[in-house]
Amino acid sequence: MRKLAAIFLLCMLLFNTIGYKAWFYYAEKESDRQLEAQLDRNQYKDEDLVTLRIPLNIPYQLNENQFQRIDGEIALDGKLYKYVKRKVSEGNLILLCIPDVQKMTLKKAKTGFGTPAAPVQKKITVSEYEAVVAAAAPTAKAPVTSIRSCYYGNGLPEVLIVFPGKPPELTA
């Protein structure tokens, strides 16, 4: 029974260190393959396409009348887009792209996997802060006592400030 539990725990450790990266890599490649197959069969809506115009500064450009199917991807403003078609026209490269929603969700899950949750911090208002500061401030002037110290012959004075009571405890 102990061997079985040890094997199970080692498998869990191995998956946490290497396995989830391999699984996400496989899931992303499978998502790419499925989306490219859909694009090759023209199974998409024209309303979903995003147009990108990139000016080209290349002499002797040939204008194309029709779009050509291409493969590739681009990331803009944190979103992934797959190239669907391209065309060169009037000195511009025109790319028609479709958002890759499935791959974006996989990447978001990949970056969030294994990271600890952020600790919850209590935010206090200004009035609560002023109440804490007022409670911590001494009401009467603290007596200042001067003590002369001659440790190791340095002869520098030390000042001892005495506060009444112990400091307040802050809880978050």
Side-chain angles (χ1 to χ4, degrees):
M1 184 65 176
R2 291 176 69 179
K3 280 186 177 183
L4 187 61
I7 291 171
F8 175 72
L9 291 175
L10 284 174
C11 289
M12 290 293 293
L13 177 67
L14 185 64
F15 177 76
N16 281 334
T17 55
I18 298 170
Y20 81 93
K21 290 181 183 177
W23 185 84
F24 277 114
Y25 177 79
Y26 171 76
E28 286 178 9
K29 292 300 178 188
E30 186 65 23
S31 169
D32 285 342
R33 188 189 62 75
Q34 288 176 358
L35 183 61
E36 287 178 12
Q38 286 178 349
L39 295 177
D40 288 339
R41 292 188 303 261
N42 293 328
Q43 293 178 341
Y44 57 87
K45 297 177 184 173
D46 288 335
E47 304 89 47
D48 294 339
L49 295 178
V50 177
T51 303
L52 298 175
R53 291 183 183 268
I54 303 169
L56 296 176
N57 192 10
I58 301 173
Y60 309 111
Q61 295 177 17
L62 297 176
N63 288 336
E64 299 170 355
N65 295 334
Q66 295 182 349
F67 283 97
Q68 298 174 350
R69 171 77 177 100
I70 60 167
D71 290 324
E73 68 181 28
I74 188 170
L76 291 173
D77 298 328
K79 294 183 180 179
L80 290 172
Y81 296 94
K82 279 287 207 191
Y83 298 143
V84 178
K85 298 177 182 179
R86 77 172 173 126
K87 173 171 94 169
V88 176
S89 176
E90 299 173 4
N92 292 319
L93 174 64
I94 302 170
L95 295 170
L96 297 179
C97 307
I98 193 163
D100 195 351
V101 178
Q102 188 172 5
K103 192 168 183 180
M104 283 189 288
T105 55
L106 282 172
K107 285 204 179 278
K108 191 180 289 185
K110 181 180 177 181
T111 57
F113 186 81
T115 57
V120 177
Q121 296 179 354
K122 179 185 174 193
K123 294 187 178 189
I124 61 172
T125 61
V126 174
S127 60
E128 290 175 348
Y129 175 74
E130 290 172 350
V132 170
V133 170
T139 56
K141 286 199 165 200
V144 177
T145 308
S146 178
I147 301 174
R148 193 132 177 81
S149 174
C150 293
Y151 296 113
Y152 302 109
N154 62 4
L156 297 174
E158 292 181 10
V159 178
L160 177 65
I161 301 175
V162 180
F163 286 103
K166 62 181 196 178
E169 294 180 8
L170 296 178
T171 58

